[in-house]
């Protein structure tokens, strides 16, 4: 009796594990949509402080109710906070500020989309991971696909030099954050650990909002929806999935999933904003998915 009841669990677990990368890409892609909805009604740091403060409260309550373990030392808590600052404050702060300063979301996505190549290049010396020739081919093919997807949006006359620099800063943040998380705190409790990370990010971004922004918010339906979506779906759902994927897989493999974000964002934006997908964009999406498959599927050689 006990054996027959317990057998379905591994099957369900395997299905859940197999679905995680696809669900993560879909959820992460909607972050650009949420930014597009919400940024007209609040400045970027103000928007993010509201988001991260709300998520910090939710996670602290959840961690307390479920009796989640907290770090055993200040050093461990410090590593968790640093990873959170890189993955949240630097990356998301850079992306939101970049879009706010006139850089199209597609171009920002393209710049950040270079991240898997940087992670793959650094995974060897930093983490001791072996990146094979097949994986390098997949990473290169994925980058080419991303370029094709956003090619029609590349207009050097749009945005400011500072805006493009902010996207580069975001790229550096998520690249270093992925490696740091994998090396120094891969086994954090997702309840207490993410609460620490969001709290640290809130503290880091609040002075920027106080010093450089008006902190005025227009509480429209669009802004409330965007804030709620980014708090629940992105900050709780997608970030948790990202940490689980980093914990379970090699850094280069996890990073390759970000190649799928620009084409997935384009698919989501099509019905919402009427953005059409050209044949060139469709070809780029196919190349991107093929590149991710090369990195994640098949034996290593």
């Amino acid at each position: 009796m006990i054996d027959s009841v317990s057998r379905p669990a591994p099957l369900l677990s395997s299905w859940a594990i197999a679905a995680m990368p696809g669900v993560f890409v879909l959820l992460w892609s909607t972050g650009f949509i949420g930014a597009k909805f919400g940024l007209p009604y609040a400045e970027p740091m103000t928007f993010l402080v509201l988001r991260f403060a709300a998520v910090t409260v939710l996670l602290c309550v959840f961690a307390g109710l479920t009796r989640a373990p907290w770090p055993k030392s200040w050093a461990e808590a410090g590593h968790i906070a640093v990873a959170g600052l890189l993955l949240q404050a630097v990356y998301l702060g850079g992306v939101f500020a970049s879009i706010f300063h006139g850089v199209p979301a597609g171009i920002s996505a393209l710049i950040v989309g270079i991240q898997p190549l940087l992670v793959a290049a650094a995974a060897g010396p930093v983490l001791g991971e072996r990146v094979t020739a097949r994986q390098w081919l997949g990473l290169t093919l994925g980058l080419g696909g991303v370029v094709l997807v956003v090619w029609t949006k590349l207009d050097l006359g749009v945005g400011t030099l500072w805006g493009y620099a902010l996207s580069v800063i975001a790229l550096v943040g998520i690249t270093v954050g992925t490696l740091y998380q994998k090396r120094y705190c891969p086994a954090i409790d997702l309840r207490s650990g993410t609460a620490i990370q969001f709290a640290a990010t809130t503290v880091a971004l609040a002075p920027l909002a106080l010093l450089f922004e008006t902190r005025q918010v227009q509480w429209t339906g669009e802004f409330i929806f965007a804030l709620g979506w980014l708090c629940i779906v992105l900050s709780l759902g997608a970030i948790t999935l990202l940490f689980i994927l980093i914990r379970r897989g090699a850094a280069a493999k996890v990073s390759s999933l970000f190649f799928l974000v620009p084409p997935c964002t384009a698919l989501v934006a099509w019905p919402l904003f009427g953005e059409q997908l050209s044949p060139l964009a469709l070809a780029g999406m196919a190349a991107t998915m093929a590149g991710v498959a090369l990195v994640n599927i098949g034996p290593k050689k």
Side-chain angles (χ1 to χ4, degrees):
M1 258 327 255
I2 296 176
D3 289 341
S4 63
V5 172
S6 60
R7 279 173 190 167
L11 179 62
L12 292 176
S13 298
S14 65
W15 276 104
I17 292 169
M20 279 183 186
V23 174
F24 167 75
V25 169
L26 178 60
L27 296 183
W28 197 269
S29 300
T30 62
F32 292 97
I33 306 301
K36 189 167 184 177
F37 268 117
L39 280 174
Y41 308 105
E43 293 162 295
M45 296 303 109
T46 300
F47 192 172
L48 288 174
V49 167
L50 289 173
R51 169 184 172 181
F52 293 144
V55 174
T56 299
V57 172
L58 291 174
L59 282 172
C60 286
V61 172
F62 181 66
L65 291 175
T66 58
R67 298 181 180 180
W70 293 86
K72 298 178 180 179
S73 67
W74 285 107
E76 183 181 355
H79 283 307
I80 293 172
V82 169
L85 289 173
L86 291 166
L87 291 169
Q88 312 291 348
V90 180
Y91 167 64
L92 288 177
V95 168
F96 271 58
S98 178
I99 295 174
F100 183 79
H101 282 279
V103 176
I107 298 178
S108 182
L110 173 65
I111 295 172
V112 178
I114 302 172
Q115 183 246 15
L117 290 178
L118 299 183
V119 169
V126 175
L127 299 178
E129 296 179 4
R130 179 172 174 259
V131 182
T132 67
R134 176 181 56 80
Q135 288 179 308
W136 277 112
L137 176 61
L139 290 164
T140 304
L141 184 60
L143 178 60
V146 169
V147 172
L148 286 177
V149 169
V150 300
W151 183 261
T152 57
K153 297 183 179 181
L154 288 174
D155 184 353
L156 296 178
V158 177
T160 64
L161 182 61
W162 174 235
Y164 287 101
L166 288 167
S167 284
V168 174
I169 292 171
L171 166 64
V172 174
I174 194 169
T175 301
V176 179
T178 299
L179 295 169
Y180 194 96
Q181 176 92 6
K182 181 71 176 179
R183 180 168 182 176
Y184 292 106
C185 43
I188 65 172
D189 184 272
L190 294 176
R191 298 159 293 179
S192 59
T194 49
I196 292 172
Q197 294 188 333
F198 283 117
T201 302
T202 304
V203 172
L205 294 183
L208 299 179
L210 290 171
L211 293 173
F212 302 110
E213 297 182 352
T214 64
R215 301 174 303 284
Q216 295 180 354
V217 178
Q218 300 177 46
W219 293 93
T220 64
E222 290 85 353
F223 178 78
I224 293 173
F225 172 80
L227 181 63
W229 181 271
L230 292 175
C231 284
I232 304 300
V233 178
L234 266 295
S235 293
L236 296 181
I239 294 296
T240 298
L241 280 177
L242 175 61
F243 289 167
I244 293 174
L245 290 169
I246 290 174
R247 181 183 298 177
R248 294 185 59 87
K253 282 190 173 184
V254 174
S255 296
S256 70
L257 295 174
F258 287 94
F259 274 137
L260 290 174
V261 170
C264 191
T265 300
L267 283 175
V268 175
W270 176 36
L272 289 178
F273 306 115
E275 297 180 2
Q276 300 296 319
L277 291 172
S278 67
L280 190 63
L282 292 174
M285 291 174 61
T288 297
M289 289 184 285
V292 173
L294 282 174
V295 173
N296 288 277
I297 301 174
K300 294 184 179 182
K301 296 181 180 179

